[in-house]
Amino acid sequence: MKTSRFIVSIACLIAFCLFASTSGLAEEIAITPYQASYKLYKSGMQVAKSSLSLEQSGRFWRWRLSSRPRGVYKLFSDKKPYSETTFSLLDNQYRIHHILLADEGDDERYESARFNWNSRQLDIQRKGKRRIENLPDQVYDFHTIHLLIARMMKDGTQQMKFNFYLKGKVLDAKLAWAGKTMLEINDLKIEVSVFHQTIDGQKTNSKYYYGPDSRLLPLKIENINSKGKTTVMILKQVAWL
């Protein structure tokens, strides 16, 4: 792996291809590590800056996301949420091994989920309690959903049902291709594909925006609650590692 980093413009990002032409999910997706920064908005106001990275460590890959308040918003919130998902190739599929959620400003938000694919068990620690659940065949989360969307884009799949880990539970979820739209990033307009996610029993739904060849790097993520209020992450810059 190269140790030097270089910053690419969004135009170069769109031209960069993350996909090989071989068959099978694990073979199709040639993962390239990166570090990206985002602007985080709530109800149209920028409240924080976020960092998203995808890095390799031996046979494991790890997505990390962290956010810190900015400007006057620092006066109203000391929350610094952090999440990471570790996954690897197992049985010719990418499998989650560990999910960790934490917050420097709130010790009660610590959450850990360990996936044992040999015993098909999920070890969950959340809100000071621990329990063991049975694992279904495949599970995705907020980070590894990019792998699923990449496959959908490759195959031209319009809709898919899948298992999604959220708040200590494995829930039924659905992804649907929502068409294309123009997205402006750093004064550059890009045609992007939009995917809409809904989760059974949850009032918040999400939209993911990807350029034609940036499918493991979301250009924008939008969460919309039942009252129509939005939380938006939009890409600022990316460094390929």
Side-chain angles (χ1 to χ4, degrees):
M1 182 184 300
K2 296 181 179 179
T3 58
S4 60
R5 301 176 181 176
F6 60 97
I7 302 296
V8 296
S9 67
I10 298 300
C12 291
L13 167 64
I14 298 306
F16 190 86
C17 180
L18 293 177
F19 284 77
S21 59
T22 53
S23 61
L25 175 59
E27 295 174 347
E28 280 177 357
I29 304 174
I31 302 178
T32 300
Y34 62 78
Q35 289 187 347
S37 61
Y38 291 78
K39 296 177 182 179
L40 181 64
Y41 295 85
K42 286 190 176 182
S43 300
M45 177 184 297
Q46 187 179 353
V47 297
K49 53 185 179 181
S50 300
S51 297
L52 177 67
S53 66
L54 174 59
E55 297 177 327
Q56 186 175 17
S57 177
R59 68 185 183 92
F60 293 99
W61 287 89
R62 182 176 290 110
W63 255 300
R64 289 189 175 105
L65 175 66
S66 61
S67 297
R68 293 181 178 272
R70 67 178 295 276
V72 296
Y73 196 72
K74 292 180 181 179
L75 302 175
F76 303 98
S77 175
D78 61 351
K79 291 183 178 181
K80 298 174 183 177
Y82 172 85
S83 66
E84 70 174 49
T85 301
T86 305
F87 64 98
S88 69
L89 177 63
L90 182 67
D91 299 329
N92 204 36
Q93 295 188 66
Y94 287 110
R95 300 281 198 180
I96 296 175
H97 283 263
H98 185 220
I99 296 173
L100 172 66
L101 297 96
D103 193 325
E104 289 182 26
D106 188 352
D107 292 338
E108 293 185 1
R109 295 189 66 183
Y110 175 85
E111 182 176 334
S112 172
R114 296 188 179 278
F115 293 69
N116 189 325
W117 293 102
N118 292 322
S119 63
R120 293 282 178 167
Q121 289 188 325
L122 176 57
D123 187 341
I124 303 166
Q125 296 185 54
R126 186 172 188 268
K127 294 185 176 181
K129 297 180 180 180
R130 181 185 179 189
R131 71 177 193 279
I132 306 295
E133 300 283 352
N134 293 326
L135 269 176
D137 288 339
Q138 180 63 294
V139 180
Y140 294 92
D141 74 331
F142 179 75
H143 292 307
T144 55
I145 194 173
H146 305 308
L147 292 165
L148 179 60
I149 293 175
R151 179 58 185 268
M152 291 178 66
M153 294 180 74
K154 175 68 169 57
D155 295 343
T157 305
Q158 299 289 308
Q159 185 171 295
M160 183 172 288
K161 293 182 179 180
F162 60 102
N163 302 307
F164 189 79
Y165 177 88
L166 179 68
K167 298 179 181 179
K169 298 179 180 179
V170 177
L171 304 172
D172 293 330
K174 184 172 69 175
L175 269 171
W177 184 65
K180 294 186 177 183
T181 188
M182 298 303 296
L183 181 64
E184 185 172 326
I185 301 179
N186 297 338
D187 299 322
L188 180 67
K189 290 185 178 180
I190 305 164
E191 185 179 57
V192 297
S193 294
V194 185
F195 287 82
H196 184 206
Q197 179 192 17
T198 55
I199 305 169
D200 284 4
Q202 301 297 308
K203 295 180 180 180
T204 298
N205 60 85
S206 303
K207 290 183 179 179
Y208 300 88
Y209 298 73
Y210 301 84
D213 294 304
S214 61
R215 299 165 188 166
L216 293 184
L217 177 72
L219 303 184
K220 178 181 176 182
I221 300 176
E222 181 178 12
N223 294 316
I224 309 151
N225 68 19
S226 59
K227 297 180 180 179
K229 293 183 178 180
T230 60
T231 301
V232 177
M233 278 177 50
I234 189 162
L235 183 67
K236 183 178 179 182
Q237 65 182 25
V238 60
W240 299 104
L241 307 182

